[in-house]
Amino acid sequence: MSAPPRSSAALETRGFGFWDSPWSAQRAVAASRDFAELRCGPAGLFWTSFDPADSRTTLWHWREAGAQCLTPAGFSLRSRVYEYGGGAFCLVDGGVAFVNEADQQLYFQPLSGVPVALTRNGRCRYGDLWPSGRLVLAVEEEQGDHRLIAVALDDGQRQVLAEGADFYAAPRISPDGRTLAWIEWNRPAQPWTESRLCLRRLQDGAWGTVEIVAGGEGGESLQQPCFDAEGRLHCLSDRNGWWQPWRLHADGFLPLPARQADHASAPWQMGASNHLPEAGLRTWLENGQGYLAGPSGEPLASGYSRFRQLAADPRCYYCIAAGPESTSAVLAIDRASGAAQVLAGGGTGLPPEEISRPRPLRFAVGAGEWANAFFYPPCNGRYQAPEGQRPPLLVFCHGGPTSACQPVLDPRIQFWTQRGFAVADLDYRGSSGYGRAYRQRLAGGWGELDVDDAKALLRHLGELGWVDPARAFIRGSSAGGFTTLLALLGDTPFSGGASYYGVSDPLVLREKTHKFEADYLDWLIGDPERDAERYRQRSAVLRAREIAAPLIFFQGGLDAVVVPEQTASMVSALREAGQRVECHLYPEERHGFRQAANLAHALEAELEFYRGVISL
């Protein structure tokens, strides 16, 4: 499975899982630099870049002469509204407005100056910024209450635009400034299950009553409203089974021609841009693979398989893209020729022959049902395994659980394949990107269907002869950690696992997690009183004595989503049961590690843990 670049006689023979590589944990983490948001305006192109080296997200300004970092020391651009944030900056007259990570306040920064605070309310957090003349529109979060506001650039004066709903996102203004649109939803819904598209019109200098354009009858998820140059309102809706583009006409909210595919992922974060009506630009997903097309409908930027954050000017389309052989990059695509230019990022850090490329898999999981995954075989040109040996497997379970894996070059997956592990990145039933029915399939079934799919994936790969099913591990973060723990109960086919800030007690999570996900467990599992036995069966901490397989845990001390007590209770229960367990706590990390030293340490510790198991 190793695809060596030289003859087998020149290779060192060593067992799968014990190969060495110059692709160290430190290099893998350093190569995981990513881009978050991108905007284009008269002053040029702007994007935010996260670098694990300093754990900061900085703003960059690109013009023909190159890119320049605008963020001074002591600042980092990141919103934590709903904990997952998004929409951390927007372009305004004379500069940018942004959310500073440390204090979550709004700032204005001239292009050639220093940031100046627009808000000073420590009880509030802000996100999903959007410009409107000399105003900045934003979602404001105040101790669990949410509203839409406008903040004046000149004096910081604040105006409430909409309130009363539990959650808001995507405030957008028409080109003439007379129509405001947004997305809202109420508990117990999540934005990917049920939301509303609303608007208000400016009448005699005042905003009129709220109009519900779509979603008023429920059963529909809407996201990413935007206006085209003619002032027509567009939005993505899944009322026909897929997140597809729709437009508001005089005679109603009507669908536009589109592929039978999701044109965006689940809106965990605000500020996404996957369709640009005025430029005829849109993305879509087919079998987990991302595509980008312009007005002609023909795919652009071949070689890439994930596209985010669309923007355009008269000469170019812009986006953040990644592919099987390229990490995240900022692309400029010539509108006339279709030629793509990398403005920042990209590359691999590994020679092409050393990259393990994703192989799409679709496998049976039940009566007439299928699940999806991407398989990465071991790849290291210095080694071959002993004859007849098959590689150990790592099954990756993504978070969410309403999220998805991406078939792109992940430097940390390459860390594993370089060492002789096979990796299978699982999109279990409930993942996004495969239509509403697939996404909704996990309702009431979390902790069962996802676990069944992980086990079915292992069986499928074993039957293909691609892996050694007797040396298989399962690992995941957050919701993926929950799947990991339940997959190790009882007579498990897995030899061990790793939980990164994973859910171990769903009842405790329901009581202590933040408002955005406070009702999510009722949808994923059921009513805690009516379905009390279901919760007990899916509580790993209550069934810790049924876990015999070794486990390693990683937890952030400042996690507000899966609080540290969850992991501490699970580890304590396993130790009391006499099970083999290891735990690493990173006091300064939140939900999703960001510091390079911690990310590298976790990779190294996880590797040594698995090697200790398979060497027994």
Side-chain angles (χ1 to χ4, degrees), residues 332-358:
I333 303 169
D334 187 272
R335 296 178 72 153
S337 68
Q341 176 188 359
V342 175
L343 304 182
T348 65
L350 284 164
E353 66 273 10
E354 293 287 310
I355 297 172
S356 180
R357 293 162 180 79

PDB file of all heavy atoms in Angstrom, residues 332-358:
ATOM      1  N   ALA A 332      -6.929  33.574  -7.139  1.00  0.00           N
ATOM      2  CA  ALA A 332      -7.503  34.555  -8.064  1.00  0.00           C
ATOM      3  C   ALA A 332      -7.702  33.841  -9.393  1.00  0.00           C
ATOM      4  O   ALA A 332      -6.756  33.269  -9.943  1.00  0.00           O
ATOM      5  CB  ALA A 332      -6.582  35.756  -8.230  1.00  0.00           C
ATOM      6  N   ILE A 333      -8.931  33.843  -9.904  1.00  0.00           N
ATOM      7  CA  ILE A 333      -9.258  33.142 -11.142  1.00  0.00           C
ATOM      8  C   ILE A 333      -9.659  34.172 -12.189  1.00  0.00           C
ATOM      9  O   ILE A 333     -10.633  34.909 -12.011  1.00  0.00           O
ATOM     10  CB  ILE A 333     -10.410  32.143 -10.917  1.00  0.00           C
ATOM     11  CG1 ILE A 333     -10.033  31.158  -9.804  1.00  0.00           C
ATOM     12  CG2 ILE A 333     -10.735  31.397 -12.201  1.00  0.00           C
ATOM     13  CD1 ILE A 333     -11.187  30.310  -9.326  1.00  0.00           C
ATOM     14  N   ASP A 334      -8.892  34.246 -13.265  1.00  0.00           N
ATOM     15  CA  ASP A 334      -9.175  35.211 -14.318  1.00  0.00           C
ATOM     16  C   ASP A 334     -10.544  34.939 -14.933  1.00  0.00           C
ATOM     17  O   ASP A 334     -10.827  33.816 -15.369  1.00  0.00           O
ATOM     18  CB  ASP A 334      -8.076  35.145 -15.385  1.00  0.00           C
ATOM     19  CG  ASP A 334      -8.221  36.235 -16.419  1.00  0.00           C
ATOM     20  OD1 ASP A 334      -8.939  36.018 -17.414  1.00  0.00           O
ATOM     21  OD2 ASP A 334      -7.618  37.300 -16.227  1.00  0.00           O
ATOM     22  N   ARG A 335     -11.404  35.949 -14.978  1.00  0.00           N
ATOM     23  CA  ARG A 335     -12.769  35.740 -15.452  1.00  0.00           C
ATOM     24  C   ARG A 335     -12.814  35.451 -16.943  1.00  0.00           C
ATOM     25  O   ARG A 335     -13.745  34.780 -17.415  1.00  0.00           O
ATOM     26  CB  ARG A 335     -13.637  36.961 -15.121  1.00  0.00           C
ATOM     27  CG  ARG A 335     -13.785  37.191 -13.644  1.00  0.00           C
ATOM     28  CD  ARG A 335     -14.604  38.415 -13.289  1.00  0.00           C
ATOM     29  NE  ARG A 335     -16.022  38.237 -13.553  1.00  0.00           N
ATOM     30  CZ  ARG A 335     -16.977  38.889 -12.895  1.00  0.00           C
ATOM     31  NH1 ARG A 335     -16.656  39.742 -11.920  1.00  0.00           N
ATOM     32  NH2 ARG A 335     -18.245  38.694 -13.194  1.00  0.00           N
ATOM     33  N   ALA A 336     -11.836  35.917 -17.681  1.00  0.00           N
ATOM     34  CA  ALA A 336     -11.839  35.703 -19.128  1.00  0.00           C
ATOM     35  C   ALA A 336     -11.259  34.344 -19.506  1.00  0.00           C
ATOM     36  O   ALA A 336     -11.838  33.596 -20.296  1.00  0.00           O
ATOM     37  CB  ALA A 336     -11.063  36.817 -19.821  1.00  0.00           C
ATOM     38  N   SER A 337     -10.122  34.002 -18.929  1.00  0.00           N
ATOM     39  CA  SER A 337      -9.429  32.777 -19.332  1.00  0.00           C
ATOM     40  C   SER A 337      -9.691  31.593 -18.419  1.00  0.00           C
ATOM     41  O   SER A 337      -9.465  30.442 -18.810  1.00  0.00           O
ATOM     42  CB  SER A 337      -7.920  33.033 -19.376  1.00  0.00           C
ATOM     43  OG  SER A 337      -7.409  33.261 -18.069  1.00  0.00           O
ATOM     44  N   GLY A 338     -10.106  31.850 -17.177  1.00  0.00           N
ATOM     45  CA  GLY A 338     -10.278  30.775 -16.211  1.00  0.00           C
ATOM     46  C   GLY A 338      -8.990  30.344 -15.541  1.00  0.00           C
ATOM     47  O   GLY A 338      -8.997  29.437 -14.710  1.00  0.00           O
ATOM     48  N   ALA A 339      -7.872  30.993 -15.865  1.00  0.00           N
ATOM     49  CA  ALA A 339      -6.584  30.639 -15.263  1.00  0.00           C
ATOM     50  C   ALA A 339      -6.573  31.014 -13.788  1.00  0.00           C
ATOM     51  O   ALA A 339      -7.006  32.108 -13.408  1.00  0.00           O
ATOM     52  CB  ALA A 339      -5.450  31.355 -15.991  1.00  0.00           C
ATOM     53  N   ALA A 340      -6.077  30.096 -12.954  1.00  0.00           N
ATOM     54  CA  ALA A 340      -6.043  30.311 -11.513  1.00  0.00           C
ATOM     55  C   ALA A 340      -4.637  30.662 -11.051  1.00  0.00           C
ATOM     56  O   ALA A 340      -3.657  30.031 -11.468  1.00  0.00           O
ATOM     57  CB  ALA A 340      -6.534  29.076 -10.774  1.00  0.00           C
ATOM     58  N   GLN A 341      -4.531  31.667 -10.186  1.00  0.00           N
ATOM     59  CA  GLN A 341      -3.260  32.086  -9.612  1.00  0.00           C
ATOM     60  C   GLN A 341      -3.349  31.996  -8.095  1.00  0.00           C
ATOM     61  O   GLN A 341      -4.328  32.453  -7.490  1.00  0.00           O
ATOM     62  CB  GLN A 341      -2.939  33.531 -10.013  1.00  0.00           C
ATOM     63  CG  GLN A 341      -1.670  34.096  -9.378  1.00  0.00           C
ATOM     64  CD  GLN A 341      -1.486  35.592  -9.636  1.00  0.00           C
ATOM     65  OE1 GLN A 341      -2.308  36.210 -10.314  1.00  0.00           O
ATOM     66  NE2 GLN A 341      -0.430  36.162  -9.100  1.00  0.00           N
ATOM     67  N   VAL A 342      -2.336  31.394  -7.469  1.00  0.00           N
ATOM     68  CA  VAL A 342      -2.285  31.302  -6.010  1.00  0.00           C
ATOM     69  C   VAL A 342      -1.691  32.597  -5.466  1.00  0.00           C
ATOM     70  O   VAL A 342      -0.554  32.956  -5.777  1.00  0.00           O
ATOM     71  CB  VAL A 342      -1.443  30.099  -5.554  1.00  0.00           C
ATOM     72  CG1 VAL A 342      -1.298  30.095  -4.034  1.00  0.00           C
ATOM     73  CG2 VAL A 342      -2.076  28.801  -6.028  1.00  0.00           C
ATOM     74  N   LEU A 343      -2.468  33.305  -4.650  1.00  0.00           N
ATOM     75  CA  LEU A 343      -2.009  34.557  -4.055  1.00  0.00           C
ATOM     76  C   LEU A 343      -1.354  34.335  -2.697  1.00  0.00           C
ATOM     77  O   LEU A 343      -0.504  35.118  -2.287  1.00  0.00           O
ATOM     78  CB  LEU A 343      -3.184  35.527  -3.899  1.00  0.00           C
ATOM     79  CG  LEU A 343      -3.976  35.859  -5.164  1.00  0.00           C
ATOM     80  CD1 LEU A 343      -5.075  36.864  -4.851  1.00  0.00           C
ATOM     81  CD2 LEU A 343      -3.050  36.399  -6.257  1.00  0.00           C
ATOM     82  N   ALA A 344      -1.767  33.298  -2.003  1.00  0.00           N
ATOM     83  CA  ALA A 344      -1.182  32.992  -0.694  1.00  0.00           C
ATOM     84  C   ALA A 344      -1.495  31.546  -0.355  1.00  0.00           C
ATOM     85  O   ALA A 344      -2.517  30.995  -0.777  1.00  0.00           O
ATOM     86  CB  ALA A 344      -1.751  33.926   0.382  1.00  0.00           C
ATOM     87  N   GLY A 345      -0.612  30.926   0.417  1.00  0.00           N
ATOM     88  CA  GLY A 345      -0.841  29.566   0.877  1.00  0.00           C
ATOM     89  C   GLY A 345      -0.591  28.540  -0.197  1.00  0.00           C
ATOM     90  O   GLY A 345       0.209  28.721  -1.118  1.00  0.00           O
ATOM     91  N   GLY A 346      -1.311  27.431  -0.098  1.00  0.00           N
ATOM     92  CA  GLY A 346      -1.139  26.340  -1.047  1.00  0.00           C
ATOM     93  C   GLY A 346       0.129  25.556  -0.777  1.00  0.00           C
ATOM     94  O   GLY A 346       0.762  25.659   0.273  1.00  0.00           O
ATOM     95  N   GLY A 347       0.506  24.731  -1.732  1.00  0.00           N
ATOM     96  CA  GLY A 347       1.692  23.903  -1.577  1.00  0.00           C
ATOM     97  C   GLY A 347       1.417  22.702  -0.704  1.00  0.00           C
ATOM     98  O   GLY A 347       0.290  22.474  -0.250  1.00  0.00           O
ATOM     99  N   THR A 348       2.454  21.933  -0.462  1.00  0.00           N
ATOM    100  CA  THR A 348       2.286  20.690   0.272  1.00  0.00           C
ATOM    101  C   THR A 348       3.288  20.530   1.399  1.00  0.00           C
ATOM    102  O   THR A 348       2.947  20.061   2.473  1.00  0.00           O
ATOM    103  CB  THR A 348       2.452  19.493  -0.683  1.00  0.00           C
ATOM    104  OG1 THR A 348       3.811  19.473  -1.174  1.00  0.00           O
ATOM    105  CG2 THR A 348       1.496  19.582  -1.854  1.00  0.00           C
ATOM    106  N   GLY A 349       4.520  20.902   1.168  1.00  0.00           N
ATOM    107  CA  GLY A 349       5.579  20.589   2.114  1.00  0.00           C
ATOM    108  C   GLY A 349       6.123  19.190   1.936  1.00  0.00           C
ATOM    109  O   GLY A 349       7.152  18.840   2.495  1.00  0.00           O
ATOM    110  N   LEU A 350       5.419  18.373   1.156  1.00  0.00           N
ATOM    111  CA  LEU A 350       5.836  17.009   0.864  1.00  0.00           C
ATOM    112  C   LEU A 350       6.019  16.845  -0.639  1.00  0.00           C
ATOM    113  O   LEU A 350       5.270  17.433  -1.420  1.00  0.00           O
ATOM    114  CB  LEU A 350       4.772  16.014   1.341  1.00  0.00           C
ATOM    115  CG  LEU A 350       4.687  15.723   2.830  1.00  0.00           C
ATOM    116  CD1 LEU A 350       3.359  15.049   3.162  1.00  0.00           C
ATOM    117  CD2 LEU A 350       5.860  14.849   3.273  1.00  0.00           C
ATOM    118  N   PRO A 351       6.975  16.022  -1.080  1.00  0.00           N
ATOM    119  CA  PRO A 351       7.068  15.729  -2.509  1.00  0.00           C
ATOM    120  C   PRO A 351       5.794  15.033  -2.979  1.00  0.00           C
ATOM    121  O   PRO A 351       5.148  14.311  -2.214  1.00  0.00           O
ATOM    122  CB  PRO A 351       8.280  14.787  -2.597  1.00  0.00           C
ATOM    123  CG  PRO A 351       9.030  14.990  -1.327  1.00  0.00           C
ATOM    124  CD  PRO A 351       8.027  15.354  -0.290  1.00  0.00           C
ATOM    125  N   PRO A 352       5.399  15.224  -4.233  1.00  0.00           N
ATOM    126  CA  PRO A 352       4.149  14.627  -4.722  1.00  0.00           C
ATOM    127  C   PRO A 352       4.069  13.124  -4.491  1.00  0.00           C
ATOM    128  O   PRO A 352       2.998  12.602  -4.165  1.00  0.00           O
ATOM    129  CB  PRO A 352       4.166  14.966  -6.215  1.00  0.00           C
ATOM    130  CG  PRO A 352       5.011  16.190  -6.318  1.00  0.00           C
ATOM    131  CD  PRO A 352       6.056  16.061  -5.253  1.00  0.00           C
ATOM    132  N   GLU A 353       5.197  12.421  -4.644  1.00  0.00           N
ATOM    133  CA  GLU A 353       5.152  10.965  -4.492  1.00  0.00           C
ATOM    134  C   GLU A 353       4.985  10.539  -3.029  1.00  0.00           C
ATOM    135  O   GLU A 353       4.717   9.371  -2.742  1.00  0.00           O
ATOM    136  CB  GLU A 353       6.418  10.334  -5.065  1.00  0.00           C
ATOM    137  CG  GLU A 353       7.708  10.663  -4.335  1.00  0.00           C
ATOM    138  CD  GLU A 353       8.358  11.952  -4.828  1.00  0.00           C
ATOM    139  OE1 GLU A 353       7.703  12.689  -5.606  1.00  0.00           O
ATOM    140  OE2 GLU A 353       9.516  12.200  -4.454  1.00  0.00           O
ATOM    141  N   GLU A 354       5.122  11.475  -2.094  1.00  0.00           N
ATOM    142  CA  GLU A 354       4.972  11.161  -0.683  1.00  0.00           C
ATOM    143  C   GLU A 354       3.568  11.486  -0.152  1.00  0.00           C
ATOM    144  O   GLU A 354       3.296  11.270   1.039  1.00  0.00           O
ATOM    145  CB  GLU A 354       6.004  11.942   0.136  1.00  0.00           C
ATOM    146  CG  GLU A 354       7.442  11.525  -0.110  1.00  0.00           C
ATOM    147  CD  GLU A 354       7.758  10.171   0.517  1.00  0.00           C
ATOM    148  OE1 GLU A 354       7.460   9.964   1.709  1.00  0.00           O
ATOM    149  OE2 GLU A 354       8.284   9.294  -0.198  1.00  0.00           O
ATOM    150  N   ILE A 355       2.693  12.008  -0.995  1.00  0.00           N
ATOM    151  CA  ILE A 355       1.359  12.411  -0.554  1.00  0.00           C
ATOM    152  C   ILE A 355       0.381  11.255  -0.719  1.00  0.00           C
ATOM    153  O   ILE A 355       0.269  10.663  -1.796  1.00  0.00           O
ATOM    154  CB  ILE A 355       0.866  13.627  -1.367  1.00  0.00           C
ATOM    155  CG1 ILE A 355       1.770  14.834  -1.117  1.00  0.00           C
ATOM    156  CG2 ILE A 355      -0.585  13.957  -1.011  1.00  0.00           C
ATOM    157  CD1 ILE A 355       1.460  16.014  -2.024  1.00  0.00           C
ATOM    158  N   SER A 356      -0.329  10.942   0.338  1.00  0.00           N
ATOM    159  CA  SER A 356      -1.408   9.961   0.268  1.00  0.00           C
ATOM    160  C   SER A 356      -2.679  10.694  -0.153  1.00  0.00           C
ATOM    161  O   SER A 356      -3.104  11.633   0.516  1.00  0.00           O
ATOM    162  CB  SER A 356      -1.609   9.288   1.626  1.00  0.00           C
ATOM    163  OG  SER A 356      -2.650   8.341   1.560  1.00  0.00           O
ATOM    164  N   ARG A 357      -3.278  10.259  -1.251  1.00  0.00           N
ATOM    165  CA  ARG A 357      -4.440  10.952  -1.812  1.00  0.00           C
ATOM    166  C   ARG A 357      -5.735  10.244  -1.433  1.00  0.00           C
ATOM    167  O   ARG A 357      -5.771   9.018  -1.339  1.00  0.00           O
ATOM    168  CB  ARG A 357      -4.296  11.049  -3.329  1.00  0.00           C
ATOM    169  CG  ARG A 357      -3.142  11.960  -3.748  1.00  0.00           C
ATOM    170  CD  ARG A 357      -2.715  11.741  -5.184  1.00  0.00           C
ATOM    171  NE  ARG A 357      -1.614  12.631  -5.562  1.00  0.00           N
ATOM    172  CZ  ARG A 357      -0.338  12.428  -5.238  1.00  0.00           C
ATOM    173  NH1 ARG A 357      -0.005  11.348  -4.540  1.00  0.00           N
ATOM    174  NH2 ARG A 357       0.592  13.292  -5.606  1.00  0.00           N
ATOM    175  N   PRO A 358      -6.802  11.000  -1.210  1.00  0.00           N
ATOM    176  CA  PRO A 358      -8.060  10.396  -0.767  1.00  0.00           C
ATOM    177  C   PRO A 358      -8.733   9.578  -1.859  1.00  0.00           C
ATOM    178  O   PRO A 358      -8.808   9.991  -3.017  1.00  0.00           O
ATOM    179  CB  PRO A 358      -8.918  11.611  -0.394  1.00  0.00           C
ATOM    180  CG  PRO A 358      -8.361  12.734  -1.221  1.00  0.00           C
ATOM    181  CD  PRO A 358      -6.899  12.468  -1.340  1.00  0.00           C
TER     182      PRO A 358
END
